[in-house]
Amino acid sequence: MTGPARAAQAAVIALDVGGTAIKGALETRDGVVHRRIDLPTPVADGVGAVLAAVVTAAEELRPAPGDLLTARGAGLIFPGVVDSSAGVARFSANIGWRDLPIRRLVSERVGVPVAIDHDVRAAGLAEARLGTGRGVDEFLFLAIGTGIAGAVVTRGSVVAGASCTAGELGHLPVHPSGDRCACGQLGCTEAYASAAALPRRYLAQGGAGPVRAEDVIARAGRGDRIAQRVLDEAIVALGRALVIYTLVMDPALVVIGGGLARAGAALTEPLRDEVERGLAFRPAPRIVISDLGSDAGRRGAALVAWKALDEHA
Amino acid sequence: MTGPARAAQAAVIALDVGGTAIKGALETRDGVVHRRIDLPTPVADGVGAVLAAVVTAAEELRPAPGDLLTARGAGLIFPGVVDSSAGVARFSANIGWRDLPIRRLVSERVGVPVAIDHDVRAAGLAEARLGTGRGVDEFLFLAIGTGIAGAVVTRGSVVAGASCTAGELGHLPVHPSGDRCACGQLGCTEAYASAAALPRRYLAQGGAGPVRAEDVIARAGRGDRIAQRVLDEAIVALGRALVIYTLVMDPALVVIGGGLARAGAALTEPLRDEVERGLAFRPAPRIVISDLGSDAGRRGAALVAWKALDEHA
C-alpha cells in the first residue's frame, strides 16, 4: 500500500422491523444512506426465522472493505412493548417476539453494539430532532398505518412511560360503547381510523372492493357516499383522540405520519375542523403532515444507534 | 441587647388562592407551619379586591420581629391558566383574573420575591417530592373537588404543556354524546364525577336534599339506589378518564386528591375495578388516595417558592 490510508467514516446500521418487512440502511451521521436492504419478515416461520432475517439484513448492510465506511453500531426498532433500557422485546404481536433479549442476540451475531427502541417512538425522536417537530418542545407524533400509535413528546423528549407503553392512542375508547377492537376493548380509535379499518369498514357498508385505505379516501373525494361516510367516521375517531391528547398534554403541534399521511390535506383539513369542534375552551394545536414521511422510522433507528454510541463514548 | 443575636430561620409564605378561600401559611423548609391564615376570596368584589385580599394574607403571615423567622419569598398558586414563567394569570374563571401580572403585583406590595403556579400542578409537585408519588417517575395526581384536574408527572417532573393547560382531565369527553358541561363541551368527566356533579345529579334524579358529595357516597353505602346510580355513573366517568390517561402516558401510579379523596375506599375500590375492566391488553396502574390530603396545595405552594429561590440563589 502506498501513501497514508484514508480514515474510514463512521456509520450505523438502521433496522426498522415491521410485521411484513424489514427495512434497513447503512447511514452516516449526516443521514446519507450508503446501502439499503428490504426483506420480507418471515413471521410465519417463527421467532428464530425473524431473528435470523434481522441478522442477515444487518450483515448485508455492513460496509465492504472498499467502502471506506465502518459500522460503529446498530439501531433496531419494532412495534410492541420495547424495553430499550433492558434491551428486551417484551411483547410484539406483529413479529411474534415475547421476552426476547433481542439487543444481546443481535449484537452477538453482528458484532457491533445494538440499541433497540419502539418504532413509533423512534420515528417521533426523528421528528423531534430532524423533522417537523424540530424546536417544538410539546408535540405528538401520530403514526396512522395498519395500526395507530403515538409518540408523546414533552420538553423535547419522547415519553416511554412506566412499562414502555406510552402513546397507545390507537386504543383510546373514542366510542365507549362502540365496535369491539382486536385488542379486546370497545370503540378504539384504530377500529375506525387505521389503514386496515378504512377498507374493512367500506366493504362492510357495501362498498365495492378490492380497495386500499387510500382508495377509500380518493373515492370519498369523487363523491362515493359510502366512502365519505367511512372517512367521516374515521375523522370523528381521530378527532376525539386528538381532543383527548390536547386536553391531557397541551401540545403545540400534532405531526401525522404513517401510510395514511399520504392522504395529505384530504385527512388534515377535516381533522382540524373536527378537533376545533371538540374543544370548547381552548384553541386546537397545529395539525400537519410529517415532512420526513416514510423515512421517519429509518432516521429514528439511526438516531437510536447514534444516541447509544454517544452515551457510551 | 446582651449576647449574640440568633440568626433568623428562613421561611416562605405559601398561598393557595381558590374560588371560595385564600389559605396561607408561613412555613420553614422542613414543612413546619409557623403561622396560618384562612380568608374568604372576595370574588364578587372584583379583581382589585381579590388582589388586596391576597396581599393582606401575605402581610398577616410575615414574621413578627420576635419570631426569629424571615420570609425569603412567597409561592402563590391558583386554578386556571397560570403562566409561571411569565408570572401572569392568563385566565382564572374561579377568581376572575385575566392577563394579570400577578407575580409582579404581589411582589411589589409584599416586598419579597413571588413565584406562581397552577394549584393542581403545585399539589402534584408536592406529591412527587413529599407525598405518595415520591420516587415514582411516572404518575398522575388527580384532584377531584368542585372541578377535576390532573397534574401529569413524567420523569419525576410536572408537565405544564405548551400553553400552561396540561392535565385537563376534568374535560375529557368520557361520554362523547353525553351531558353538556359548563365548559361548552359534551360529556366531560367533571359533569359526572366532581364534588359539584354528585349532589346536582342526585337531586336531578329525585334524591332528597340538601346533600353534599360525601353524603351521596355515604347514602350509596347505606343502600340508597339513586345515590348508588349517581356514584356508579361517576365511577364510570372517572374510570374512562383513567383508562385514557393510562393509554396515553403509561403511569405506574394514580394518586387521588381533592375533597372527594376523603371518600377513601368507597371511591378507589370501584374505580380500580372500572379501570381494569376498561383496559384489555395491559395492567392498570395502582390507584391510591393521597397521603398529603388537603395539605398538598399548601406544601406545593411552599415548594414553588423554595424552587424559585433555589434557582435564583
Side-chain angles (χ1 to χ4, degrees):
Chain A
M1 209 207 290
T2 58
R6 276 166 60 201
Q9 201 183 350
V12 293
I13 296 166
L15 291 167
D16 183 353
V17 182
T20 54
I22 299 171
K23 292 180 194 167
L26 176 72
E27 62 175 90
T28 37
R29 203 179 284 249
D30 51 13
V32 172
V33 173
H34 296 265
R35 279 159 185 257
R36 249 181 224 283
I37 196 167
D38 205 327
L39 296 175
T41 312
V43 176
D45 302 334
V47 174
V50 175
L51 177 60
V54 169
V55 170
T56 299
E59 283 173 343
E60 293 281 327
L61 290 168
R62 297 193 80 151
D67 280 359
L68 282 174
L69 286 172
T70 175
R72 296 276 309 281
L76 172 63
I77 64 172
F78 50 95
V81 182
V82 184
D83 187 338
S84 47
S85 322
V88 173
R90 297 279 174 219
F91 178 65
S92 178
N94 302 33
I95 52 182
W97 290 347
R98 183 184 283 274
D99 290 324
L100 192 72
I102 185 71
R103 182 173 66 195
R104 181 173 58 75
L105 294 172
V106 175
S107 180
E108 280 173 4
R109 283 165 179 73
V110 181
V112 296
V114 173
I116 69 169
D117 213 327
H118 183 264
D119 57 353
V120 175
R121 287 203 292 275
L125 177 67
E127 294 291 346
R129 296 282 173 279
L130 311 165
T132 319
R134 201 159 37 156
V136 181
D137 274 352
E138 307 288 328
F139 77 92
L140 171 71
F141 172 66
L142 187 68
I144 313 177
T146 316
I148 294 178
V152 174
V153 179
T154 179
R155 294 195 201 89
S157 297
V158 184
V159 173
S163 60
C164 313
T165 63
E168 286 285 11
L169 272 82
H171 296 286
L172 293 178
V174 293
H175 288 291
S177 311
D179 297 355
R180 188 160 304 271
C181 177
C183 80
Q185 297 173 185
L186 293 181
C188 294
T189 323
E190 73 177 43
Y192 297 85
S194 70
L198 288 182
R200 185 183 66 237
R201 293 174 64 79
Y202 180 73
L203 298 177
Q205 295 188 26
V211 282
R212 296 160 306 163
E214 45 266 55
D215 302 326
V216 176
I217 295 174
R219 288 184 194 186
R222 291 196 300 268
D224 178 328
R225 287 164 68 176
I226 297 174
Q228 188 62 55
R229 191 165 63 220
V230 168
L231 178 58
D232 288 349
E233 288 165 350
I235 295 294
V236 167
L238 290 172
R240 283 189 191 156
L242 294 185
V243 162
I244 285 169
Y245 187 84
T246 301
L247 292 164
V248 174
M249 291 303 288
D250 181 23
L253 175 69
V254 174
V255 180
I256 308 280
L260 221 63
R262 286 193 294 269
L267 182 69
T268 51
E269 285 184 8
L271 187 52
R272 278 187 202 116
D273 291 344
E274 186 66 26
V275 175
E276 274 164 20
R277 249 197 306 277
L279 292 166
F281 62 90
R282 57 153 298 150
R286 280 193 302 136
I287 301 174
V288 301
I289 297 289
S290 157
D291 56 11
L292 293 180
S294 60
D295 285 341
R298 170 181 67 76
R299 301 297 302 265
L303 285 175
V304 164
W306 289 115
K307 203 166 152 230
L309 289 169
D310 292 342
E311 281 166 7
H312 293 94
Chain B
M1 205 208 290
T2 58
R6 277 167 59 200
Q9 201 184 350
V12 292
I13 295 167
L15 291 168
D16 184 353
V17 181
T20 54
I22 299 170
K23 292 180 196 169
L26 176 73
E27 61 176 271
T28 37
R29 207 183 272 257
D30 51 13
V32 172
V33 172
H34 296 264
R35 278 159 185 254
R36 250 182 224 284
I37 196 167
D38 204 328
L39 296 174
T41 312
V43 176
D45 303 334
V47 174
V50 175
L51 176 61
V54 169
V55 170
T56 300
E59 284 173 345
E60 293 281 326
L61 289 168
R62 298 192 82 150
D67 279 359
L68 284 174
L69 287 172
T70 174
R72 296 276 309 281
L76 172 63
I77 65 172
F78 50 95
V81 182
V82 184
D83 187 337
S84 47
S85 321
V88 173
R90 297 280 174 219
F91 178 65
S92 179
N94 301 33
I95 52 182
W97 291 347
R98 182 184 283 274
D99 291 324
L100 193 70
I102 184 72
R103 182 174 66 195
R104 180 173 58 75
L105 293 173
V106 175
S107 180
E108 281 173 2
R109 283 164 179 72
V110 181
V112 296
V114 173
I116 68 169
D117 212 328
H118 184 263
D119 56 353
V120 174
R121 288 203 292 275
L125 176 69
E127 294 291 347
R129 296 283 172 280
L130 311 165
T132 319
R134 200 158 39 155
V136 182
D137 274 352
E138 306 289 328
F139 76 93
L140 171 71
F141 172 66
L142 188 69
I144 313 176
T146 316
I148 295 179
V152 174
V153 180
T154 179
R155 294 194 202 90
S157 296
V158 184
V159 173
S163 60
C164 312
T165 62
E168 286 284 12
L169 273 82
H171 298 284
L172 294 178
V174 294
H175 288 291
S177 311
D179 296 356
R180 190 163 299 274
C181 177
C183 79
Q185 295 174 187
L186 293 181
C188 294
T189 323
E190 71 177 45
Y192 297 85
S194 70
L198 289 182
R200 186 183 66 236
R201 293 175 64 79
Y202 179 74
L203 298 177
Q205 296 188 25
V211 282
R212 296 161 307 161
E214 45 265 55
D215 301 327
V216 176
I217 296 174
R219 287 183 194 187
R222 290 196 302 268
D224 178 330
R225 288 164 67 177
I226 297 174
Q228 188 62 55
R229 190 166 63 221
V230 168
L231 178 58
D232 288 348
E233 289 165 348
I235 295 294
V236 166
L238 290 171
R240 283 190 191 155
L242 294 185
V243 162
I244 284 169
Y245 188 84
T246 300
L247 292 163
V248 174
M249 291 302 289
D250 181 24
L253 174 70
V254 174
V255 180
I256 308 279
L260 221 63
R262 286 193 293 270
L267 181 69
T268 52
E269 286 184 7
L271 187 52
R272 278 187 202 114
D273 291 345
E274 186 66 26
V275 175
E276 276 165 19
R277 250 196 306 276
L279 292 166
F281 61 91
R282 57 153 298 149
R286 281 193 301 135
I287 301 173
V288 301
I289 297 289
S290 157
D291 57 11
L292 293 180
S294 61
D295 285 342
R298 171 181 65 77
R299 301 297 303 263
L303 285 175
V304 164
W306 288 115
K307 202 165 153 233
L309 290 169
D310 291 344
E311 281 165 8
H312 294 96

